Amino acid sequence: MRFTTLVRLAYPGSLTDRVRIAITIVGALLAGLSVLAIGTVLNMAPTERRITLPDGGWSLDPYSWRYTSTLLNESGLRPGLIAMVAATIIPALVLLAQAARLGGPARDHRLATLRLAGATPRQARTIAAASQAFTVAIGGVLAAATYPLVKWLLHHPTMDGVRITAAQADGGPETHPYTGLLLPLPTDTWPAWWSWVVVIVVLPLVAGLISMAGLRRLIKSPVEASRRARRERPRIWPVWLVAAGLADMSACRAWIDALDRAGQSGDRLIAPYVLLVVGIAVICVGVPLSAATVAYLGAKITLRYAHRPAPLIAARRVLADPYAGSRAVSALLVCAVVFGALIGIRTQMDFDLEVQALYGQTIGDRELYELVMNMLSALSVIFIGFAAVGLLIALVDAAMTRRRTEAALLAAGTSTRVLVNARMIGVFLVAVPGVLLGLATGFASPSLASGPQHAPAAVETVCHDLGNSELIVPCTEAGVAQQKKADRDGGNNPAYSWVEYHSKGPWHAVHAPIPWARLGLAGGVDLLAIALVTILSLLVGRRSPAETALRTT
Amino acid sequence: MTLLTGRAVTKQYGRTAALAEADVEVAAGEILAVTGPSGSGKSTLLLCLSGIVTPDSGEVWFAGARLDDRGEAARAVLRRTEIGVLLQHGQLVPELTAVENVALPLLLGGATRGSAARSAEQWLDRFGVAGEAAKRPGELSGGQQQRVALARALVTGPRLLFADEPTGSLDSVAGESVLAALVSAAKDNATAVLLITHDATVAAYADREVHLRDGRVLSGVTA
Ligand SMILES: Nc1ncnc2c1ncn2[C@@H]1O[C@H](COP(=O)(O)OP(=O)(O)O)[C@@H](O)[C@H]1O
Ligand SMILES: [Mg+2]
């Protein structure tokens, strides 16, 4: 097989193929940028060094706190930073996986046909792998080309930011904290050399190998594969995968807590945090795979209790191929996991701040936290957009392959409305339980990751008069609130000269309340996106009149 | 001279015995019709004899060499050199044009696009569909699609053509003209044909007829 033949067969150029290629390139671009960001974070020069104090103890010297935020400056936070940056690759990988599934049945059919026409298993595998590897390589090269540009665009040196003076640093005589310009992002660092190799070589190779592995059955015998009936009952192991992911996260939680109690930090925290990210990834994979199982059960129940034709047709379709439907909505199910996780993180953080505020503590970089949360929210909105496009394509794809049966049903007197309803119900049979499962596991994950807060039974406030700080005055609720605002505002318009907080009674574990309204909103948005896309796909599908579909000669 | 021999070929699908110890012989240049009711194992026989499916037991010999115990790759290569396969429908790659579909076995064999396209065009011309060369299968009628598929099955100049109800999805006029084209091309190139059909008028084109029932060969009638 010549190279030109390989390229022609790898890119046969149907509409679905073109969309798949476009989404794959975008996914590979995002994944590439994410890998380069990981390479950058791992390549960052140290910002602190350990110095031994005259009394034999040690402290960290912030000799090179050259960034505006604590997250980048403090070496103890580095594992968390790495985990956070590493987690950004997950949506990109999911997008790639979703794209790879687009037009999957058409591609399988095409490869089986090629095998029938005399392609050897190796040739068929090469064609499938080449198609994916070339496309991912294009995305990788784009990422490598874009990264310097992004780095340059984000390079904004400033004088404002977190600084520590020599006196605060408590580092003894040798401490000379950095006093120059600060950077909001590590734009002074280039990605490690290996991350470029990963982006340009390893990602495409892995993508090719994965698409090869997915073809094993099909390649063996062209006819048996294309004829073989789908197994009736979907497998149960994806549900275990979700359970394993949650178990992994709780175990990591316990591990991190134990290390915390033992006063360990830095390098020793890397392993549990990496495993934590693995747990999240496992859940992200498990939920869409479980959707088929859940949809199958839902269809069984529908079949038992429904009497109208539309739900019956929908349930029959899900039972006939439970995977087809879940494949289409899988990316939006991952969106549900991501949304759930973001809500969980936000709830957890807000609750932490609230509990700490009870006894007057304001630790943590509030602005940075807001920035990160907003960035993640924006990312998830972009992500849901991609997922919706993916679903639209998958639905139109499915509608095309079902044209004949639907035309036959129409000819047999089934009304269009029933068919439209059947498609809607078919999608929702998978989507509703999937979104619920995704939101629940997504929300549970960060709660598991951060554990409960500890709060005193009661907090007593002692307020010192504004004019005479020796004088203790009764605290008012409004006054305390005003004081907190002033503390945040850098001392503007205080109510007292200061407020003391005394915790009373035993400390106990407190749990964040479940934000039902937010979860409901996220689930609603996700399901609404699915509904809109389904309606849109019905409008596209309408343009195929029954006569063309029924034409055989 | 015997070109293809199937001895006690058996294939089981779950509990269904699709093929039970079938014996078949095809001589070089001969047109053999395999008839039988639906579900009698005709397609399974074709798949086993052409090396697309491995039989559970029995032997298949092609041109003096054992075929059924060769690897997938070797059998695939055979399909694009010495064996042509024509099914009822659905064997054209929907995304490729008619001429690319016909050129496919040559391209997979390493031919350049130019030379493969030239041979493909000649065969399309021979079957009266040269005008549709640039169209995709979806834009062709069923009869035209089968002509394109036939051109692809013969483009490599195979010694044996397997045809599984090639006119089964066509109306009788279109079916007959495809069949006539198939038979005359086979005779011109001395290509043997194993022709599966449940239609007596189709079987009349054959030199010899074999009848299948419940996966067993009942009779070998010489026309
Ligand atoms: N891939 C398969 N899986 C299961 N059963 C099959 C498969 N292919 C054929 N069969 C069964 O084997 C028997 C013979 O089928 P087939 O060879 O297609 O018959 P024919 O072509 O004569 O109509 C039938 O009962 C059919 O249901
Ligand atoms: Mg048959």
Side-chain angles (χ1 to χ4, degrees):
Chain A
M1 183 170 47
R2 280 164 195 270
F3 187 71
T4 48
T5 305
L6 175 62
V7 171
R8 176 71 187 102
L9 294 179
Y11 293 103
S14 65
L15 173 67
T16 327
D17 272 317
R18 263 179 246 139
V19 176
R20 192 195 61 219
I21 289 165
I23 297 183
T24 304
I25 290 178
V26 173
L29 171 66
L30 294 178
L33 289 176
S34 177
V35 168
L36 291 172
I38 297 169
T40 302
V41 173
L42 287 172
N43 217 18
M44 274 163 72
T47 48
E48 297 175 336
R49 87 186 134 210
R50 200 172 142 148
I51 46 175
T52 310
L53 299 175
D55 63 6
W58 58 271
S59 98
L60 285 174
D61 169 21
Y63 74 103
S64 180
W65 271 33
R66 54 192 185 280
Y67 303 108
T68 55
S69 64
T70 325
L71 182 64
L72 295 177
N73 280 327
E74 248 183 51
S75 37
L77 295 177
R78 206 48 72 75
L81 175 68
I82 293 168
M84 230 177 71
V85 176
T88 60
I89 203 175
I90 294 174
L93 293 183
V94 169
L95 191 64
L96 280 175
Q98 165 80 0
R101 288 198 182 118
L102 277 185
R107 187 203 53 184
D108 288 358
H109 174 76
R110 181 166 65 238
L111 288 173
T113 316
L114 287 176
R115 287 277 288 113
L116 211 54
T120 61
R122 179 201 289 260
Q123 283 178 325
R125 251 184 267 126
T126 310
I127 290 166
S131 154
Q132 189 68 358
F134 288 163
T135 315
V136 170
I138 293 173
V141 169
L142 279 181
T146 326
Y147 195 83
L149 188 71
V150 173
K151 182 170 169 294
W152 178 72
L153 283 175
L154 292 177
H155 189 67
H156 288 301
T158 160
M159 280 312 285
D160 303 326
V162 186
R163 281 186 203 274
I164 279 197
T165 61
Q168 282 170 307
D170 152 46
E174 295 140 83
T175 305
H176 301 289
Y178 175 78
T179 52
L181 283 166
L182 300 175
L183 294 173
L185 291 166
T187 44
D188 55 347
T189 309
W190 280 100
W193 65 268
W194 53 261
S195 48
W196 300 98
V197 180
V198 168
V199 169
I200 296 174
V201 180
V202 179
L203 274 186
L205 278 183
V206 170
L209 286 177
I210 288 176
S211 64
M212 260 193 200
L215 290 172
R216 249 181 333 204
R217 178 171 50 85
L218 176 77
I219 294 308
K220 190 116 199 306
S221 169
V223 169
E224 273 166 316
S226 61
R227 265 213 209 165
R228 213 183 76 138
R230 255 299 196 182
R231 61 164 65 231
E232 268 263 310
R233 181 182 284 276
R235 297 171 198 188
I236 202 81
W237 60 260
V239 179
W240 292 115
L241 212 57
V242 175
L246 288 174
D248 170 69
M249 295 194 66
S250 359
C252 289
R253 178 72 242 147
W255 189 359
I256 293 167
D257 281 348
L259 288 177
D260 263 352
R261 273 196 300 277
Q264 303 274 9
S265 66
D267 289 356
R268 310 202 54 159
L269 283 170
I270 293 180
Y273 271 112
V274 166
L275 282 178
L276 205 69
V277 173
V278 170
I280 296 172
V282 165
I283 289 173
C284 282
V285 173
V287 167
L289 290 179
S290 313
T293 316
V294 179
Y296 179 82
L297 295 176
K300 282 241 133 150
I301 295 168
T302 309
L303 208 56
R304 179 164 305 162
Y305 296 106
H307 294 289
R308 306 182 64 82
L312 289 180
I313 294 176
R316 276 270 165 243
R317 273 185 195 151
V318 172
L319 289 182
D321 189 354
Y323 288 97
S326 71
R327 229 179 281 134
V329 295
S330 60
L332 283 156
L333 300 188
V334 177
C335 281
V337 179
V338 173
F339 279 178
L342 284 179
I343 294 174
I345 294 172
R346 196 150 220 170
T347 309
Q348 211 61 46
M349 300 265 240
D350 286 345
F351 186 65
D352 286 2
L353 293 175
E354 198 182 308
V355 169
Q356 284 159 5
L358 272 184
Y359 44 94
Q361 279 191 31
T362 47
I363 53 167
D365 194 334
R366 179 91 210 184
E367 255 170 58
L368 176 74
Y369 154 70
E370 290 287 344
L371 178 78
V372 170
M373 287 320 285
N374 291 339
M375 253 167 56
L376 288 178
S377 303
L379 268 182
S380 63
V381 168
I382 296 172
F383 185 42
I384 204 172
F386 282 132
V389 172
L391 176 62
L392 179 62
I393 303 301
L395 287 178
V396 173
D397 219 27
M400 290 307 195
T401 54
R402 272 208 297 263
R403 248 183 351 187
R404 253 166 222 274
T405 25
E406 294 213 334
L409 283 171
L410 275 177
T414 315
S415 73
T416 318
R417 164 183 291 209
V418 166
L419 290 181
V420 166
N421 286 347
R423 276 202 208 165
M424 273 296 222
I425 296 169
V427 172
F428 275 84
L429 222 43
V430 185
V432 172
V435 165
L436 290 181
L437 182 69
L439 271 182
T441 45
F443 180 74
S445 305
S447 317
L448 277 175
S450 67
Q453 264 290 323
H454 292 270
V459 176
E460 192 190 51
T461 46
V462 179
C463 300
H464 294 257
D465 185 57
L466 193 54
N468 175 6
S469 61
E470 298 292 302
L471 189 69
I472 290 177
V473 293
C475 295
T476 63
E477 216 168 292
V480 172
Q482 190 186 337
Q483 184 70 17
K484 279 184 182 163
K485 189 167 177 296
D487 286 348
R488 279 199 303 275
D489 270 3
N492 275 332
N493 187 21
Y496 309 103
S497 58
W498 80 79
V499 179
E500 280 175 57
Y501 292 84
H502 299 290
S503 39
K504 298 261 169 188
W507 288 62
H508 60 280
V510 283
H511 294 272
I514 296 176
W516 293 110
R518 271 190 191 169
L519 285 174
L521 186 69
V525 166
D526 214 1
L527 289 175
L528 191 71
I530 294 175
L532 285 178
V533 164
T534 310
I535 292 170
L536 208 61
S537 83
L538 291 170
L539 294 178
V540 177
R542 254 189 3 178
R543 297 214 348 248
S544 53
E547 307 91 79
T548 47
L550 278 175
R551 194 179 83 167
T552 52
T553 52
Chain B
M1 192 196 84
T2 311
L3 183 61
L4 178 86
T5 310
R7 258 188 231 129
V9 181
T10 301
K11 182 76 190 177
Q12 192 99 12
Y13 286 114
R15 285 212 204 90
T16 334
L19 210 54
E21 310 213 324
D23 293 312
V24 191
E25 280 197 359
V26 183
E30 174 190 41
I31 300 185
L32 174 70
V34 176
T35 58
S38 178
S40 59
K42 305 183 296 292
S43 298
T44 308
L45 179 67
L46 177 140
L47 294 175
C48 288
L49 293 180
S50 59
I52 294 172
V53 161
T54 315
D56 296 336
S57 63
E59 295 175 2
V60 179
W61 292 75
F62 177 76
R66 191 76 188 265
L67 188 153
D68 56 301
D69 62 358
R70 286 194 225 170
E72 275 291 333
R75 286 185 276 162
V77 169
L78 209 60
R79 276 203 294 283
R80 62 170 191 242
T81 50
E82 302 200 67
I83 287 178
V85 181
L86 178 61
L87 303 180
Q88 191 169 350
H89 56 69
Q91 54 187 324
L92 299 177
V93 181
E95 294 88 354
L96 300 182
T97 62
V99 66
E100 283 173 326
N101 261 295
V102 175
L104 205 49
L106 302 173
L107 290 172
L108 289 168
T112 62
R113 288 182 84 167
S115 78
R118 273 192 298 281
S119 312
E121 270 155 13
Q122 279 165 16
W123 280 96
L124 285 175
D125 192 33
R126 151 132 219 186
F127 293 127
V129 279
E132 333 307 318
K135 292 186 183 165
R136 287 171 213 282
E139 302 166 84
L140 303 177
S141 74
Q144 288 170 331
Q145 285 182 22
Q146 283 307 77
R147 285 162 188 274
V148 174
L150 181 58
R152 184 173 84 193
L154 294 175
V155 72
T156 54
R159 287 207 265 173
L160 176 58
L161 172 67
F162 287 95
D164 189 352
E165 308 201 32
T167 60
S169 64
L170 306 180
D171 62 65
S172 57
V173 178
E176 222 157 297
S177 79
V178 168
L179 211 59
L182 185 158
V183 170
S184 85
K187 288 291 172 201
D188 289 354
N189 295 277
T191 301
V193 182
L194 191 146
L195 177 64
I196 288 181
T197 180
H198 60 257
D199 185 345
T201 57
V202 172
Y205 283 90
D207 301 323
R208 205 156 60 85
E209 184 182 334
V210 159
H211 195 72
L212 271 187
R213 170 155 298 168
D214 296 334
R216 285 167 202 285
V217 177
L218 287 189
S219 56
V221 187
T222 310

